[in-house]
């Protein structure tokens, strides 16, 4: 049953139309049928059912009912519409138009009337449609056109959209919240905007973006406080790099409210492009005088991409005008807006140059990932060993959303580390198209005490981690397996950096000039991502130019030397053949560190560390042992089921040493004759 006020409003519209129904002879039958069919729910008394219902009878019955309902209290819907109009400072005509179009969406009888009168599409260019609607509302056609003007407050507010057919429709967000209200709203702005988005990560979780993060924070803080126009920050990067979560954390750090734009239509489904534009304009309008808010337009490719208007423009005359509209909307916006996209190149230069600042979202380093994993585990009350948390962080560069899903699956299945690993791997495989296996779960935690070097490497790590500059280089040389690569990975982790490791085979090519390009690309990748660059088999890249027989060998070394001098991030070269390196290259390393075989006390410590059992007698006397030997023996013993057999483990270590080229052989002659 319609409320008395809504009955009175609809009866008033019908009365307006009945007076001038002769102008619209094509609509007379539909109008008459509607009044007769809906007379009872509207409380309209048409008299004896047996008599013929004429236009005069309808007009008189509507007049009487209109007067009866004249003093009805405004409905909740009307009060909320008035509050919206007051907030947006709409004119009387704009208020009437808004009320009519909203009611056509939320009140079945009004919707039926609009269908009867063919008003389901309101087009400013259709004189007949405009005439019927103006008559219903008691307006002149000119007043109605003014209310629908793109320059008017109603359309400028974003509450209504006009699509490529010039069809004027209310924004789904408007009808959704008006329809859901059982009482008058005390805060219309809050109801239209929805709840601010809440963070799930901490400011420190984005330390790997410190420079960009801090600059964006200062920019947005000042823009919001000064209500600066046209401030837009672009967040870009592959799916799963945490763009949306960063926006939430950024807003929370600044003490600003972050509102999502155009995330769903009135049915909770994916909104159209027009609906997203309307939602953006409405949010801008509602917050234009606020200095405590930011907007987030997530997954903005469908709105901003340079080639994404095809379907939208296919039926729109002069479709390129929409780009001009978008550019103007960017430049005139009053609320700072964060935009997230996966591929910025799809947006085109005209959009990109209207961005105030852009941040490439990078995979956080392992230390940050470990902190995020631990927080997610605590939140879901899933308990796993601290070492397993560390390994999850090192093995997977999973975004917070993927990590959260994996931890949730572990909680639901009462699982632990293995279930989390399986869940993360399954999603990573789908996203990347192939599975990149993580480090084996039986790997052993790195221990800096098991490194025999001519420099205190733990002290060096502490010193380098505390420096303001990251511009240093290492040359690590010594026999295979002595822990050179493991030390670099550990040092990078201590510094909160990711590692980009390049082997000579990754860079060397048979094509002229390709080696130099690959070397430059490796340094550029490390520079752009702020990673620790490591070159394995560096003797193949920095060979002594005095012994070079080909021109490309010299140009390759020259390219390496040029980058070594200018690179502003840490990098290391690892080699087993120190004597083969070019002298000029050696002079450019900040530190040259020799790695050697384990000392006697380290051999016993490594036995306990790798095998978890006490070392037997004689382990100290096994020369030429390296951490790599212990790792190989550990894996072999695990396969043979001998991990707890100390004597057998000692024999395996001796066998590893025996096959090394420099292993000492027994002295004397074999006098046995064949």
């Amino acid at each position: 049953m319609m409320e008395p006020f809504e009955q009175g409003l609809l009866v008033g519209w019908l009365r307006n139309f009945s007076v001038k129904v002769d102008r619209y002879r094509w609509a007379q039958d539909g109008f008459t049928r509607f009044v007769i069919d809906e007379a009872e729910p509207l409380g309209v008394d048409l008299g004896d059912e047996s008599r013929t219902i004429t236009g005069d009878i309808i007009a008189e019955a509507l007049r009487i009912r209109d007067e009866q309902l004249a003093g009805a209290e405004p409905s909740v819907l009307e009060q909320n519409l008035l509050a919206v109009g007051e907030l947006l400072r709409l004119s009387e005509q704009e208020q009437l138009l808004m009320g009519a179009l909203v009611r056509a969406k939320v009140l079945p009888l009004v919707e039926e009337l609009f269908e009867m009168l063919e008003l389901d599409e309101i087009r400013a260019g259709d004189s007949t449609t405009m005439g019927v609607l103006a008559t219903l509302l008691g307006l002149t056609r000119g007043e109605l056109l003014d209310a629908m003007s793109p320059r008017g407050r109603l359309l400028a507010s974003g509450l209504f959209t006009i699509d490529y057919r010039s069809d004027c429709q209310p924004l789904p967000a408007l009808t959704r919240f008006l329809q859901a209200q059982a009482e008058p709203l005390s805060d219309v702005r809050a109801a239209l905007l929805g709840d601010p988005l809440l963070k799930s990560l901490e400011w420190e979780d984005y330390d790997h973006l410190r420079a960009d993060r801090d600059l964006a924070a200062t920019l947005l803080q000042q823009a919001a406080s000064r209500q600066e126009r046209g401030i837009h920050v672009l967040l870009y990067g592959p799916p799963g790099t945490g763009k949306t979560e960063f926006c939430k954390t950024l807003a929370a750090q600044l003490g600003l409210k972050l509102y999502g734009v155009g995330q769903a239509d009135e049915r909770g489904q994916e909104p159209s492009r027009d609906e997203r534009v309307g939602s953006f304009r409405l949010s801008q309008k509602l917050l234009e005088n606020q200095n405590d808010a930011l907007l987030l337009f997530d997954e903005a490719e469908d709105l901003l991409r340079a080639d994404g208007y095809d379907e939208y423009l296919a039926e729109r005359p002069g479709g390129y005008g929409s780009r001009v509209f978008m550019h103007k909307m960017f430049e005139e916006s009053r609320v700072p807006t964060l935009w997230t996209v996966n591929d910025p190149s799809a947006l085109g230069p005209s959009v990109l140059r209207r961005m105030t600042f852009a941040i490439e979202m990078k995979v956080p380093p392992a230390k940050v990932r470990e902190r995020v994993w631990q927080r997610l585990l605590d939140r879901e009350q899933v308990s796993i060993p601290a070492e397993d948390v560390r390994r999850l962080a090192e093995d997977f560069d999973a975004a917070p959303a993927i990590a959260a899903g994996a931890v949730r699956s572990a909680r639901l299945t009462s699982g632990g580390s293995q279930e989390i690993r399986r869940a993360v791997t399954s999603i990573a495989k789908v996203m990347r198209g192939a599975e990149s296996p993580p480090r084996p779960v039986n790997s052993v935690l790195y221990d800096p005490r098991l490194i025999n070097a001519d420099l205190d490497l733990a002290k060096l790590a502490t010193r380098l981690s505390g420096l303001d500059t990251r511009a240093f280089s290492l040359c690590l040389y010594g026999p295979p397996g002595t822990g050179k690569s493991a030390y670099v990975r550990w040092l990078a982790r201590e510094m909160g950096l990711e590692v980009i490791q390049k082997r000579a085979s990754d860079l060397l090519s048979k094509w002229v000039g390709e080696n130099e390009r690959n070397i430059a690309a490796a340094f550029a990748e490390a520079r752009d991502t702020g990673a620790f660059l490591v070159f394995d088999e560096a003797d193949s890249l920095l060979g002594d130019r005095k012994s070079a027989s080909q021109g490309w060998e010299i140009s390759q070394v020259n390219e390496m030397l040029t980058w070594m001098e200018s690179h502003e991030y840490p990098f290391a070269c690892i080699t087993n053949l120190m004597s083969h390196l070019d002298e000029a290259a050696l002079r450019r390393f900040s530190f040259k560190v020799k790695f050697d075989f384990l000392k006697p006390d380290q051999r016993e410590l490594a036995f306990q560390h790798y095998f978890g059992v006490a070392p037997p007698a004689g382990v100290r006397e096994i020369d030429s042992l390296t951490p790599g030997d212990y790792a190989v023996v550990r894996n072999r013993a695990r396969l043979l089921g001998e991990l707890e057999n100390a004597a057998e483990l000692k024999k395996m270590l001796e066998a590893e040493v025996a096959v090394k080229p420099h292993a000492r052989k027994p002295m004397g002659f074999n006098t046995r004759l064949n």
Side-chain angles (χ1 to χ4, degrees):
M1 184 70 179
M2 289 182 72
E3 295 182 59
F5 180 86
E6 297 301 327
Q7 287 185 1
L9 196 67
L10 181 52
V11 168
W13 292 351
L14 294 170
R15 183 183 178 189
N16 291 338
F17 195 76
S18 70
V19 175
K20 300 179 180 180
V21 69
D22 291 340
R23 295 182 182 180
Y24 311 103
R25 294 187 179 277
W26 56 269
Q28 283 183 354
D29 288 345
F31 170 75
T32 300
R33 188 165 59 254
F34 176 83
V35 174
I36 293 174
D37 290 345
E38 307 301 339
E40 183 176 349
L42 289 175
V44 176
D45 185 5
L46 295 176
D48 188 354
E49 294 182 0
S50 62
R51 65 174 177 171
T52 302
I53 306 299
T54 64
D56 290 340
I57 293 174
I58 289 176
E60 179 61 16
L62 290 172
R63 181 191 67 78
I64 294 172
R65 183 55 176 161
D66 190 24
E67 291 176 354
Q68 291 173 346
L69 295 169
E73 290 292 325
S75 63
V76 171
L77 176 60
E78 176 66 9
Q79 292 180 65
N80 288 333
L81 283 167
L82 289 172
V84 172
E86 182 178 354
L87 178 66
L88 300 174
R89 294 178 296 171
L90 301 181
S91 68
E92 182 181 351
Q93 292 77 21
E94 289 169 333
Q95 184 81 42
L96 284 172
L97 176 60
M98 175 178 67
L101 297 184
V102 167
R103 285 180 169 91
K105 294 292 184 181
V106 303
L107 298 180
L109 282 184
V110 178
E111 182 182 10
E112 182 183 345
L113 174 63
F114 272 49
E115 290 177 356
M116 286 282 193
L117 300 180
E118 300 181 12
L119 293 176
D120 45 329
E121 292 185 352
I122 308 299
R123 302 176 186 176
D126 187 336
S127 60
T128 301
T129 300
M130 295 300 290
V132 171
L133 184 57
T135 299
L136 273 179
L137 303 183
L139 301 173
T140 66
R141 189 173 300 178
E143 289 174 330
L144 183 58
L145 286 171
D146 286 343
M148 290 183 62
S149 169
R151 295 181 297 275
R153 289 193 179 95
L154 187 62
L155 292 188
S157 70
L159 280 173
F160 288 77
T161 62
I162 296 184
D163 65 14
Y164 63 84
R165 298 180 302 270
S166 298
D167 182 22
C168 182
Q169 295 293 337
L171 190 70
L174 177 65
T175 57
R176 182 171 63 246
F177 100 86
L178 286 173
Q179 197 168 24
Q181 303 307 316
E183 297 179 358
L185 289 166
S186 58
D187 190 342
V188 177
R189 180 183 283 108
L192 280 169
L193 289 170
D195 295 327
L197 303 176
L198 302 178
K199 70 167 186 173
S200 60
L201 299 178
E202 300 301 325
W203 188 243
E204 295 74 21
D205 293 338
Y206 295 96
D207 280 348
H208 60 294
L209 301 171
R210 182 181 285 108
D212 287 344
R213 177 200 68 183
D214 293 349
L215 179 55
T218 303
L219 169 67
L220 293 170
Q221 185 81 73
Q222 293 299 315
S225 63
R226 299 179 185 182
Q227 297 184 297
E228 197 80 17
R229 289 177 181 264
I231 301 299
H232 303 275
V233 175
L234 179 68
L235 288 301
Y236 66 95
T241 46
K243 299 182 288 292
T244 303
E245 291 303 321
F246 173 76
C247 294
K248 297 176 184 177
T249 304
L250 176 59
Q253 177 69 16
L254 298 176
L256 301 176
K257 299 173 184 175
L258 180 68
Y259 296 97
V261 174
Q263 297 179 335
D265 65 11
E266 74 274 13
R267 300 176 303 278
Q269 304 299 316
E270 181 180 1
S272 69
R273 180 182 184 277
D274 279 329
E275 289 167 349
R276 299 195 82 189
V277 171
S279 178
F280 176 73
R281 297 177 70 195
L282 174 59
S283 299
Q284 287 281 345
K285 186 69 176 177
L286 293 173
L287 295 168
E288 64 181 355
N289 296 316
Q290 308 294 304
N291 60 3
D292 63 347
L294 300 174
L295 293 178
L296 169 61
F297 206 114
D298 220 348
E299 304 292 343
E301 284 93 341
D302 61 335
L303 184 70
L304 301 180
R305 61 185 301 127
D307 60 350
Y309 298 147
D310 295 358
E311 180 180 352
Y312 180 69
L313 298 178
E315 302 177 61
R316 179 195 283 269
Y320 281 95
S322 66
R323 292 179 186 154
V324 175
F325 165 78
M326 286 299 301
H327 298 162
K328 185 177 180 182
M329 186 175 73
F330 257 70
E331 293 161 1
E332 295 181 351
S333 62
R334 297 192 180 196
V335 183
T337 304
L338 299 159
W339 305 79
T340 74
V341 297
N342 297 328
D343 180 11
S345 65
L347 306 188
S350 63
V351 169
L352 292 176
R353 68 170 173 260
R354 286 172 169 81
M355 294 292 175
T356 314
F357 189 58
I359 301 176
E360 180 183 8
M361 297 300 296
K362 305 168 185 175
V363 175
K367 269 192 171 181
V368 173
R369 296 200 298 268
E370 183 177 349
R371 198 159 59 234
V372 173
W373 274 107
Q374 189 61 63
R375 190 179 301 118
L376 292 170
L377 289 162
D378 292 343
R379 187 177 70 190
E380 296 289 344
Q381 297 183 337
V382 175
S383 179
I384 65 174
E387 174 59 19
D388 288 355
V389 179
R390 183 189 67 80
R391 285 179 175 164
L392 284 171
E394 291 186 347
D395 295 346
F396 299 107
D397 58 0
I402 297 175
V407 175
R408 191 177 301 116
S409 72
R411 173 177 59 81
L412 293 172
T413 59
S414 299
S417 303
Q418 291 302 317
E419 287 72 23
I420 292 174
R421 284 179 168 273
R422 181 173 292 277
V424 175
T425 302
S426 69
I427 300 302
K429 182 178 180 180
V430 171
M431 292 181 67
R432 296 172 182 170
E435 182 174 355
S436 50
R439 188 184 61 184
V441 296
N442 65 332
S443 59
V444 178
L445 179 65
Y446 173 81
D447 188 339
R449 297 176 300 168
L450 301 180
I451 298 295
N452 179 19
D454 60 358
L455 188 66
D456 187 336
L457 295 181
K459 184 176 180 180
L460 178 64
T462 302
R463 173 65 182 168
L464 294 177
S465 299
L467 293 177
D468 292 334
T469 179
R470 296 291 176 91
F472 66 84
S473 56
L474 303 169
C475 178
L476 310 181
Y477 64 98
T482 48
K484 300 181 291 294
S485 296
Y487 173 72
V488 173
R489 288 194 296 270
W490 177 77
L491 174 60
R493 184 174 183 274
E494 290 298 299
M495 299 180 67
L497 299 175
E498 289 294 296
V499 172
I500 295 177
Q501 192 149 357
K502 300 290 185 182
R503 298 167 299 176
S505 58
D506 297 328
L507 303 174
L508 299 182
S509 168
K510 64 181 180 179
W511 305 108
V512 176
E514 192 69 21
N515 294 352
E516 292 87 336
R517 282 191 288 272
N518 291 341
I519 290 169
F523 276 101
E525 180 185 357
R527 177 199 62 204
D528 294 342
T529 58
F532 199 129
L533 180 60
V534 181
F535 290 105
D536 254 333
E537 306 158 359
D539 45 281
S540 298
L541 303 171
L542 286 170
D544 193 343
R545 286 171 293 181
K546 293 177 183 178
S547 59
S549 59
Q550 302 291 333
W552 61 264
E553 295 176 287
I554 297 175
S555 61
Q556 170 187 298
V557 174
N558 290 340
E559 184 72 20
M560 283 286 294
L561 295 178
T562 299
W563 278 97
M564 289 171 67
E565 289 181 337
S566 61
H567 193 57
E568 297 181 353
Y569 287 90
F571 74 94
C573 288
I574 297 173
T575 179
N576 302 329
L577 304 170
M578 180 69 162
S579 61
H580 290 196
L581 297 187
D582 191 272
E583 291 182 7
L586 291 175
R587 291 196 303 269
R588 284 168 169 80
F589 287 107
S590 307
F591 302 95
K592 293 177 277 290
V593 185
K594 180 182 179 181
F595 284 63
D596 212 337
F597 300 112
L598 294 173
K599 298 175 183 178
D601 57 337
Q602 289 177 313
R603 297 167 195 165
E604 289 187 330
L605 180 63
F607 200 98
Q608 177 70 42
H609 181 73
Y610 278 87
F611 306 138
V613 295
V619 170
R620 293 175 61 91
E621 283 70 47
I622 305 176
D623 286 334
S624 304
L625 277 176
T626 70
D629 297 327
Y630 284 86
V632 169
V633 169
R634 183 182 191 278
N635 186 51
R636 184 186 306 145
R638 182 178 61 84
L639 295 173
L640 296 174
E642 300 284 359
L643 264 180
E644 298 180 1
N645 188 336
E648 186 62 28
L649 291 169
K650 177 175 175 288
K651 289 181 181 179
M652 291 183 188
L653 289 173
E654 291 171 334
E656 283 298 312
V657 170
V659 299
K660 294 183 179 182
H662 60 275
R664 291 183 295 187
K665 307 296 182 183
M667 300 292 291
F669 296 93
N670 186 349
T671 58
R672 188 177 62 182
L673 297 176
N674 293 328

